[in-house]
Amino acid sequence: MESTAGTGPTSATRSITLHYFMTNLGLFGLLSTLAVSLTAAGFDGGRTGLLVLVFTIANKVSKVFLARWLDRISAARSVLLGCLTAAVGFMGLRIAGGLAATAATLALAGLGVSVNALASKQLAADASDRSGDRARIFSLINVAVNVASAVAAPVALFFVQRHEHGQVLTAVAAIYCLAGVTTYLNYRLLMPDTTVRAPDSSLRGYLTVLRLPGMRPFMLINLLGWCCYGQLFNALALHVSAVPGATDRLGWLYTLNALLIVVAQLGVTRVAETLSKGRGTVTTVAAYTSFALGFAAVYLLPGFPGAVVGVVLFTLGEMMFVPTMDVLLLGLLGQESRALGYGVFSIANAVGEGVGGGLGVAAYRWLAGSGHGPDFWLIATALAVVSAVLARWLSVTNGGLRSVSSREEPKVAAD
């Protein structure tokens, strides 16, 4: 039976967008209060940092080892498993005592978050296959994530400031439970056949993915993009904190970033697709160009106004870059394991953002120590320009990237 735009694909899009909103509502609520809650529980600075690191590693890295196994069950079941595991971990934090028990529950919660993140990507990919408009689905997801981030942090901090840390954890656990069960039930009806058999060896499977035509240059382009992204929450924070009277306005810049995405993401995606004629690599070059202009604005316009203009231009680039990477990845993967593909993809994202942010902080502090802090933004601008040139060159010279960029969007599939 053929799916119609008003049944399967539309319902699947609504379901996965709602799922991303709910789970990120819980996740951002936790992330914004975790360090404060751990400190309130009596952990000193070193132990609090260690516990946050445990959660981060479990959240970011475990999907690489789990992808092979998750490909053997339906993505809807993986979502349910991940959300319920995360919920158990969050609730465990309420009763955990001591460093070891708290670390164990945080690791369990991070494991669940990781499983859910990987399975959610698979469901989004399946929905995009059937909808015929991948860019729109991943743009909607980006909007949902930013709405969640804008809402979750202030609400969670409101309760934490009133010493109701346990209630925040309970709410996060309940949100994950609700999201997991709801999405599982929805996708059992919408997409019953989302299982893909993984390779016999996880290492062999990852090597197979990395050897796909165009995959390695794509990963490099993606990593450089997240290196640029890492400056938003690291070097920019240092820059604004050095502006007299602007430190207390740093939060407004991140709110501006989130609100711009919520308001303009779909429009930017539509315009970018029209101007690039659906060629994702062209949109990527435009995104890097916008990053470069944003960094240059911070350098050219002194003080807080330069940071505002920089964030606006940077956000424009982010709105082009993030959905396009998902679309290009799916085109390159073809029929290969999506769980393994997204496992590699997430590691590239984490490494790019982590290394980019860390090097950005180190470079900014070194330059600021000699009175040349603003010159850092010239280096960041050069990074974005080189990335744009490299992306353009690879899109022309690499056959895999060239073919996937010119490929038509998937048609609505038959059920």
Side-chain angles (χ1 to χ4, degrees):
M1 181 182 300
E2 184 176 334
S3 298
T4 63
T7 55
T10 300
S11 298
T13 299
R14 284 199 301 266
S15 182
I16 192 60
T17 302
L18 178 62
H19 181 80
Y20 267 91
F21 170 74
M22 293 177 68
T23 53
N24 279 278
L25 192 67
L27 182 60
F28 283 114
L30 175 82
L31 293 176
S32 62
T33 59
L34 182 57
V36 176
S37 296
L38 292 172
T39 301
F43 295 105
D44 59 26
R47 292 187 175 185
T48 296
L50 175 63
L51 290 170
V52 172
L53 181 62
V54 167
F55 178 76
T56 302
I57 291 175
N59 177 19
K60 298 291 187 181
V61 177
S62 58
K63 60 172 65 73
V64 176
F65 306 101
L66 295 169
R68 175 182 176 234
W69 306 107
L70 293 178
D71 253 348
R72 299 181 183 274
I73 63 176
S74 71
R77 289 183 181 178
S78 296
V79 160
L80 180 62
L81 175 64
C83 286
L84 294 183
T85 301
V88 170
F90 294 138
M91 288 303 297
L93 285 174
R94 292 203 61 170
I95 60 176
L99 182 66
T102 302
T105 54
L106 278 172
L108 183 64
L111 182 68
V113 170
S114 181
V115 170
N116 171 69
L118 190 57
S120 298
K121 282 287 190 180
Q122 290 176 273
L123 290 181
D126 287 325
S128 75
D129 289 343
R130 300 180 180 225
S131 74
D133 192 348
R134 282 178 173 163
R136 182 174 183 275
I137 284 185
F138 289 113
S139 295
L140 283 170
I141 288 172
N142 200 32
V143 170
V145 169
N146 280 274
V147 171
S149 70
V151 172
V155 172
L157 287 169
F158 174 83
F159 287 101
V160 165
Q161 288 168 358
R162 285 155 180 76
H163 307 290
E164 297 179 356
H165 308 85
Q167 285 80 349
V168 171
L169 290 172
T170 300
V172 172
I175 289 171
Y176 264 83
C177 280
L178 181 61
V181 172
T182 301
T183 303
Y184 173 72
L185 294 176
N186 283 341
Y187 273 88
R188 287 270 294 181
L189 299 174
L190 292 170
M191 296 181 180
D193 301 316
T194 58
T195 304
V196 180
R197 295 293 294 180
D200 294 334
S201 163
S202 59
L203 177 59
R204 188 184 311 154
Y206 282 118
L207 291 176
T208 298
V209 168
L210 288 173
R211 288 168 179 164
L212 290 173
M215 184 60 71
R216 281 171 289 184
F218 164 78
M219 288 295 176
L220 175 60
I221 292 172
N222 181 61
L223 185 144
L224 289 172
W226 286 98
C227 282
C228 291
Y229 185 84
Q231 311 316 316
L232 179 65
F233 293 98
N234 294 279
L236 184 65
L238 292 177
H239 175 79
V240 173
S241 66
V243 176
T247 302
D248 58 349
R249 291 183 284 174
L250 178 61
W252 290 107
L253 290 176
Y254 299 135
T255 301
L256 175 64
N257 171 255
L259 290 179
L260 283 173
I261 292 173
V262 171
V263 172
Q265 175 68 79
L266 292 178
V268 169
T269 299
R270 193 179 305 115
V271 171
E273 282 205 302
T274 300
L275 295 179
S276 69
K277 298 180 180 179
R279 292 174 293 173
T281 51
V282 174
T283 303
T284 302
V285 173
Y288 275 126
T289 303
S290 190
F291 288 156
L293 292 174
F295 295 146
V298 179
Y299 175 78
L300 294 172
L301 300 175
F304 190 72
V308 173
V309 175
V311 166
V312 171
L313 290 169
F314 183 93
T315 304
L316 175 62
E318 181 183 352
M319 287 188 281
M320 290 186 281
F321 185 82
V322 173
T324 300
M325 290 295 101
D326 280 293
V327 173
L328 286 175
L329 176 64
L330 289 178
L332 290 169
L333 284 174
Q335 299 304 311
E336 291 295 329
S337 164
R338 283 174 171 175
L340 293 179
Y342 272 117
V344 176
F345 185 59
S346 64
I347 289 298
N349 295 353
V351 170
E353 185 176 0
V355 171
L359 290 177
V361 167
Y364 186 90
R365 284 180 172 172
W366 179 71
L367 288 169
S370 58
H372 299 284
D375 291 345
F376 167 81
W377 299 107
L378 290 177
I379 299 174
T381 301
L383 170 65
V385 170
V386 169
S387 299
V389 172
L390 180 63
R392 176 58 182 167
W393 179 71
L394 288 173
S395 69
V396 172
T397 60
N398 184 271
L401 279 181
R402 189 168 60 248
S403 64
V404 77
S405 184
S406 61
R407 197 174 297 162
E408 290 185 354
E409 288 289 330
K411 304 303 180 184
V412 177
D415 288 332

